[in-house]
Amino acid sequence: MRAYTTQMDAARKGIATPQMEAVAQKEHMPLEQLMQLVAKGQVVICANKNHTCLDPQGVGSMLRTKVNVNLGVSRDCKDYDVEMEKVMSAVRLGAEAIMDLSSHGDTQPFRQKLTRECPAMIGTVPVYDSVIHYQRDLAELTAQDFLEVIRMHAQDGVDFVTLHCGITRKTIEQIKKHKREMNIVSRGGSLVFAWMSMTGQENPFYEYFDDILEICQEYDVTISLGDACRPGCLADATDVCQIEELVRLGELTKRAWERNVQVMVEGPGHVPLNQVAANMEVQKSICMGAPFYVLGPLVTDIAPGYDHITGAIGGAVAAMSGAAFLCYVTPAEHLALPNLEDVKQGIIASKIAAHAADIAKGIPGAREIDDRMARARRKLDWEEQFACALDPDTARAIRDSRSPEDDHSDTCSMCGKFCAVRSMNKALAGEYIDIL
Amino acid sequence: MRAYTTQMDAARKGIATPQMEAVAQKEHMPLEQLMQLVAKGQVVICANKNHTCLDPQGVGSMLRTKVNVNLGVSRDCKDYDVEMEKVMSAVRLGAEAIMDLSSHGDTQPFRQKLTRECPAMIGTVPVYDSVIHYQRDLAELTAQDFLEVIRMHAQDGVDFVTLHCGITRKTIEQIKKHKREMNIVSRGGSLVFAWMSMTGQENPFYEYFDDILEICQEYDVTISLGDACRPGCLADATDVCQIEELVRLGELTKRAWERNVQVMVEGPGHVPLNQVAANMEVQKSICMGAPFYVLGPLVTDIAPGYDHITGAIGGAVAAMSGAAFLCYVTPAEHLALPNLEDVKQGIIASKIAAHAADIAKGIPGAREIDDRMARARRKLDWEEQFACALDPDTARAIRDSRSPEDDHSDTCSMCGKFCAVRSMNKALAGEYIDIL
């Protein structure tokens, strides 16, 4: 028996856990400071007791921004080994969390494989899995069924679960009255809404929140409070539905903290660029600094095929303004299940956004690699440039595919003999600069 | 003989030119207001008298953000027709300006072809072309040679020329003393620096600025004041070299305006995300609202292969904060001459950044297309979604490549039967929601 339930409980009792020590070291933060942040709920360490191969990560706005990747077995991709290879490739590309959104067959073996083999934080959305697990249609499920699935995921070692606790029966009327352009676009949120509509009952994730806290406390599962009413288009951003749900999430955060349960809060969504920073400030205030986990934000609606870019713009500004955790968005968003290349593009775009924000926030050590790259560029040292690159293989392939002119092999084909770096190096060395 | 020299001269004389009328209509702005902005120099209409096929555009922070694409004949691509096809494809993708950076052979025929056939604004960098045109090495060129090339470009109908007027002999000492990580990374800037270093003379674009103004006035060529000292890495951002040059550019802007010559000011570069807005504010103040033409800004140095994304992040925030004109960045930046696909990716990323900024700034009409997309998404009307997409072909190809399950053909394979839009449409219509 360990002397604490959750990481938050330990921090509040002044117990330094192995996970805290690992995170403090990674983040170049004094252990004492980290423990205070965990005790206050401003950093979470998503670490289920049963996820023993976990390489623990802290999530909080004063730490390095983390990136989540959604994967999982589906009707189109039901081979566990293939999907597991995608997972491990995502981890190699820098994903700190994997959300298992499996939607086909018996989902438990893959989930257990993840928590047995994958060092990244593992998250799930139990409401999806409920339909799959029981193989009963949504309206036939009971509140207890949902709770049982949460317990099963907790036992399986899942580190964080997205639960759409913040919508209630009142939301049904509000959605109808408010006439949003896109209503609810959260998958889990729409299932909860549909269940409430069909059964006439209250949201079980809201009504039985105390029972859920008990399960989460037992296994140290972090709750990621889902934002059912996150805007699905710019027109719905920062509206009454979104902000009222956020107020509910703030109340639920407080209730979870009273039971030492760790909490993240999920956020928008589709948001115009000028509203992104404001959204972060409002969340910080309403949810008392609980780590903000954002889905995008996407800063325009008109770029299907390129939403990894619209998400990188919004994600960079969100993380600079206080978001702690970015859910990746792939080029296939709004269009199709992402393939392997889409997954890669999505991760790289999110890592760029996270890194740009970490530099902007002055996260200790964040800019060192950029400074190394700058020195490599000044020296036209291509091997060192590739070593500093976020994706060395792609960078190398682009340069190699279009070789520079023979007599200027230190430059690249973009500028060739007009290379500014080459000219400056010669000029500063007092050498003659041949351009022709 | 027309009764005015430049668009600025006309605006100051209260003459409404056909170009002003066209721009006012496109921008949903009263003509009177536009004329005041042109008179003050806060909007430029780059329209050389000899570019008769021009579809005129205004550039200014209160107008729609414009995008420039760099192209041109090079040793690797010397077929005029192939390069012209690239130009027209860039215009179809939404580029409002083409900078002809041709660096091989006789550059005049292609330049003249551009101003005869291309409706986009055409820009050049005469200092590159000087070496090519005279086929003499840099140190052998005289100040008068450079002026003659500017005059030739003006006669050929070029709408704007980038001139690195802001560095002087003092800059040579400053660059040496300041020990920047990347010195000068502007190609044109490095050539001017190299020429000064080798000849011992003052920067001809600074020394003969009045003669240049005379040429620009005669043909109505807009000067794009080049930023030789733009930071080439995060470590050099917003440093003494950059800001001192900006101060020079502010002085030169005033001198140009005294002669009714239109001016844009070029800007960074590599800039940490937290410094982007500040850079825009400083430029606005120092250069009295002259339109800011930014190259990026790139918000991290470590993403070669993905600099269209780092540039889109910086560009969106820059444009939201006051930049008027974005120079595209392709995935091949820092690595190679962009190929056709790189050019396309670069344009789309820049258009996303520009559009996101226009929405954020509340440019009239900017968000209409996003709202149309939202309605199409709610109705699961895929044809209308493609019609609203920035790149319909790519969006369609992604969806078609991974078709949804047969019994849910209204959704897409990303969520399939879990589609939130489908669930919500059924729930709000009071229908039964089948998920399994």
Side-chain angles (χ1 to χ4, degrees):
Chain A
M1 259 315 260
R2 60 187 198 183
Y4 56 89
T5 56
T6 65
Q7 297 288 328
M8 180 181 243
D9 183 42
R12 287 173 170 182
K13 287 176 173 157
I15 300 169
T17 66
Q19 290 79 11
M20 292 173 199
E21 282 166 9
V23 170
Q25 195 171 10
K26 277 184 205 175
E27 302 281 351
H28 312 290
M29 180 179 274
L31 181 61
E32 188 59 35
Q33 187 185 349
L34 180 72
M35 285 173 70
Q36 283 171 11
L37 291 166
V38 173
K40 280 195 288 186
Q42 292 178 0
V43 163
V44 296
I45 300 176
C46 305
N48 187 308
K49 290 178 190 176
N50 292 345
H51 185 185
T52 46
C53 69
L54 175 72
D55 177 21
Q57 298 284 357
V59 179
S61 69
M62 61 302 288
L63 307 181
R64 218 167 32 76
T65 305
K66 306 303 185 295
V67 169
N68 173 70
V69 167
N70 295 330
L71 288 169
V73 183
S74 68
R75 203 174 286 225
D76 291 326
C77 186
K78 41 190 137 181
D79 184 323
Y80 292 170
D81 292 328
V82 169
E83 202 61 19
M84 197 65 196
E85 191 36 59
K86 280 192 204 167
V87 166
M88 298 312 276
S89 146
V91 173
R92 278 192 300 274
L93 282 168
E96 286 93 358
I98 303 287
M99 286 193 82
D100 173 19
L101 306 187
S102 288
S103 62
H104 183 75
D106 183 2
T107 56
Q108 193 167 37
F110 185 67
R111 191 164 53 245
Q112 292 180 336
K113 190 174 168 67
L114 276 173
T115 57
R116 209 166 44 236
E117 299 176 18
C118 178
M121 297 182 269
I122 303 298
T124 60
V125 189
V127 72
Y128 301 172
D129 194 39
S130 303
V131 178
I132 307 294
H133 175 70
Y134 294 107
Q135 287 291 306
R136 288 210 303 277
D137 223 339
L138 188 62
E140 309 302 316
L141 297 176
T142 67
Q144 283 309 312
D145 290 335
F146 293 122
L147 294 191
E148 278 314 306
V149 170
I150 297 174
R151 179 177 298 280
M152 179 175 62
H153 285 212
Q155 284 170 342
D156 286 343
V158 167
D159 302 299
F160 65 99
V161 289
T162 292
L163 301 175
H164 300 84
C165 309
I167 57 170
T168 63
R169 294 208 61 79
K170 198 182 146 198
T171 310
I172 299 181
E173 296 318 310
Q174 198 174 39
I175 288 282
K176 284 180 184 164
K177 198 180 83 187
H178 192 66
K179 298 214 177 299
R180 300 182 110 188
E181 286 291 351
M182 286 292 293
N183 298 311
I184 284 177
V185 297
S186 151
R187 276 186 290 191
S190 72
L191 293 175
V192 173
F193 187 98
W195 187 87
M196 288 195 289
S197 297
M198 290 191 290
T199 64
Q201 294 177 45
E202 184 50 283
N203 176 358
F205 301 98
Y206 180 76
E207 198 173 17
Y208 298 99
F209 193 64
D210 285 331
D211 301 85
I212 292 170
L213 291 178
E214 207 162 295
I215 299 168
C216 291
Q217 199 180 29
E218 186 176 345
Y219 297 91
D220 198 358
V221 175
T222 300
I223 298 179
S224 187
L225 288 167
D227 57 332
C229 295
R230 71 167 175 267
C233 60
L234 299 186
D236 292 344
T238 325
D239 74 350
V240 169
C241 302
Q242 181 198 330
I243 301 301
E244 170 143 20
E245 185 183 23
L246 184 64
V247 171
R248 285 295 88 64
L249 300 184
E251 294 165 1
L252 294 166
T253 297
K254 207 175 274 183
R255 282 172 61 186
W257 286 352
E258 284 164 9
R259 303 285 289 273
N260 299 323
V261 171
Q262 303 188 96
V263 171
M264 298 188 285
V265 176
E266 293 186 18
H270 293 236
V271 183
L273 189 53
N274 58 311
Q275 294 181 14
V276 172
N279 266 270
M280 302 304 119
E281 289 300 329
V282 171
Q283 186 273 352
K284 262 189 264 186
S285 170
I286 300 284
C287 299
M288 300 146 290
F292 205 11
Y293 175 24
V294 297
L295 315 172
L298 307 186
V299 294
T300 168
D301 300 335
I302 64 162
Y306 301 88
D307 276 328
H308 60 310
I309 299 180
T310 67
I313 296 171
V317 175
M320 177 173 76
S321 312
F325 194 18
L326 304 180
C327 185
Y328 90 150
V329 178
T330 81
E333 182 76 21
H334 298 108
L335 294 170
L337 203 63
N339 62 23
L340 200 57
E341 179 59 21
D342 292 325
V343 169
K344 179 180 166 183
Q345 293 297 322
I347 296 173
I348 301 265
S350 296
K351 293 295 288 183
I352 288 172
H355 182 63
D358 290 344
I359 293 167
K361 286 199 282 192
I363 297 291
R367 218 189 67 189
E368 279 171 21
I369 184 78
D370 295 75
D371 293 347
R372 250 182 76 196
M373 175 66 94
R375 286 188 290 273
R377 283 190 170 138
R378 190 185 64 224
K379 292 177 192 157
L380 292 165
D381 179 344
W382 290 91
E383 285 307 315
E384 174 72 358
Q385 288 180 54
F386 297 141
C388 295
L390 204 53
D391 179 2
D393 296 344
T394 296
R396 190 188 295 274
I398 292 174
R399 179 163 193 263
D400 288 354
S401 67
R402 283 151 265 168
S403 303
E405 303 157 30
D406 287 344
D407 49 340
H408 297 288
S409 58
D410 51 344
T411 64
C412 83
S413 65
M414 183 172 180
C415 306
K417 60 189 177 179
F418 284 113
C419 175
V421 177
R422 175 178 168 275
S423 294
M424 288 303 296
N425 288 349
K426 283 176 180 277
L428 291 171
E431 294 172 19
Y432 185 80
I433 301 119
D434 58 308
I435 300 285
L436 263 188
Chain B
M1 261 313 263
R2 61 188 198 183
Y4 56 91
T5 56
T6 65
Q7 296 288 328
M8 182 180 241
D9 182 42
R12 288 173 169 180
K13 288 177 171 156
I15 301 169
T17 67
Q19 290 80 11
M20 291 174 199
E21 281 166 10
V23 169
Q25 193 170 12
K26 276 185 206 175
E27 302 281 352
H28 312 290
M29 180 179 273
L31 181 61
E32 187 60 34
Q33 187 186 347
L34 180 73
M35 284 173 71
Q36 283 171 12
L37 291 166
V38 174
K40 280 195 289 187
Q42 291 178 3
V43 163
V44 297
I45 299 177
C46 306
N48 186 309
K49 290 180 191 175
N50 292 345
H51 186 185
T52 47
C53 69
L54 176 72
D55 177 21
Q57 298 284 357
V59 179
S61 69
M62 60 302 289
L63 308 182
R64 217 166 34 76
T65 305
K66 306 304 185 295
V67 168
N68 173 69
V69 166
N70 295 330
L71 287 169
V73 182
S74 68
R75 204 174 286 224
D76 291 327
C77 186
K78 40 191 139 185
D79 185 322
Y80 291 171
D81 291 328
V82 169
E83 202 60 20
M84 196 65 197
E85 192 34 61
K86 282 193 203 165
V87 166
M88 298 312 275
S89 147
V91 173
R92 278 193 300 274
L93 282 167
E96 286 93 0
I98 302 288
M99 285 193 82
D100 173 20
L101 306 186
S102 288
S103 62
H104 183 73
D106 183 2
T107 56
Q108 192 168 37
F110 185 67
R111 190 164 53 245
Q112 292 180 338
K113 190 174 168 70
L114 276 173
T115 57
R116 208 166 45 236
E117 299 176 17
C118 178
M121 296 181 271
I122 303 299
T124 59
V125 188
V127 71
Y128 301 173
D129 194 39
S130 303
V131 178
I132 307 294
H133 176 71
Y134 294 107
Q135 286 290 307
R136 288 209 304 276
D137 223 338
L138 188 62
E140 308 304 314
L141 297 176
T142 67
Q144 283 309 312
D145 290 336
F146 292 122
L147 294 192
E148 278 314 305
V149 170
I150 296 174
R151 178 176 299 280
M152 178 175 64
H153 285 212
Q155 283 170 343
D156 286 343
V158 166
D159 302 299
F160 64 100
V161 289
T162 292
L163 301 176
H164 300 84
C165 310
I167 56 171
T168 62
R169 293 208 60 80
K170 196 182 149 198
T171 309
I172 298 181
E173 296 319 309
Q174 198 174 39
I175 288 281
K176 284 181 184 163
K177 197 181 86 190
H178 193 65
K179 298 213 178 299
R180 301 182 109 187
E181 286 291 350
M182 286 292 293
N183 298 311
I184 285 178
V185 297
S186 152
R187 277 185 290 190
S190 72
L191 294 176
V192 173
F193 187 98
W195 188 86
M196 288 194 288
S197 296
M198 290 191 290
T199 63
Q201 294 177 44
E202 184 51 282
N203 176 358
F205 301 98
Y206 180 76
E207 197 172 18
Y208 298 98
F209 193 64
D210 285 331
D211 301 86
I212 293 170
L213 290 178
E214 206 163 294
I215 299 168
C216 291
Q217 198 180 30
E218 185 176 347
Y219 296 91
D220 199 358
V221 175
T222 300
I223 297 179
S224 187
L225 287 167
D227 57 332
C229 295
R230 71 168 176 266
C233 60
L234 300 186
D236 292 344
T238 325
D239 73 350
V240 169
C241 302
Q242 181 197 331
I243 301 301
E244 170 144 20
E245 184 183 24
L246 185 64
V247 171
R248 283 296 87 64
L249 300 184
E251 294 165 0
L252 294 167
T253 297
K254 207 175 276 184
R255 283 173 60 187
W257 286 352
E258 285 165 8
R259 304 281 290 271
N260 299 323
V261 172
Q262 303 187 97
V263 171
M264 299 189 285
V265 175
E266 293 186 18
H270 293 237
V271 182
L273 189 53
N274 59 311
Q275 294 181 14
V276 172
N279 266 270
M280 303 304 119
E281 288 301 330
V282 171
Q283 186 273 350
K284 261 188 266 186
S285 170
I286 299 285
C287 300
M288 301 146 288
F292 205 10
Y293 175 24
V294 296
L295 315 172
L298 308 186
V299 293
T300 167
D301 300 336
I302 64 162
Y306 301 88
D307 276 328
H308 60 310
I309 299 180
T310 67
I313 296 171
V317 175
M320 176 173 77
S321 311
F325 194 19
L326 303 180
C327 185
Y328 90 150
V329 178
T330 82
E333 183 77 22
H334 299 107
L335 295 169
L337 202 62
N339 61 25
L340 201 56
E341 180 59 22
D342 292 326
V343 169
K344 180 180 166 184
Q345 294 296 322
I347 295 173
I348 301 266
S350 296
K351 292 297 287 184
I352 288 173
H355 183 62
D358 290 343
I359 292 167
K361 286 198 283 193
I363 297 291
R367 218 190 67 191
E368 279 171 20
I369 184 78
D370 295 75
D371 293 347
R372 251 182 74 194
M373 175 67 94
R375 286 188 289 273
R377 282 190 171 139
R378 191 186 63 225
K379 292 179 192 159
L380 293 164
D381 179 344
W382 291 90
E383 286 306 317
E384 174 72 358
Q385 288 180 55
F386 297 140
C388 296
L390 204 54
D391 178 2
D393 296 342
T394 296
R396 190 188 295 274
I398 292 175
R399 180 164 192 262
D400 288 354
S401 67
R402 283 151 266 168
S403 303
E405 302 158 30
D406 287 345
D407 49 339
H408 296 287
S409 58
D410 50 346
T411 64
C412 83
S413 64
M414 182 171 181
C415 306
K417 60 190 178 178
F418 284 113
C419 176
V421 177
R422 176 179 168 275
S423 295
M424 288 302 297
N425 287 350
K426 283 177 179 277
L428 291 171
E431 293 173 19
Y432 185 81
I433 301 118
D434 59 307
I435 301 285
L436 263 187

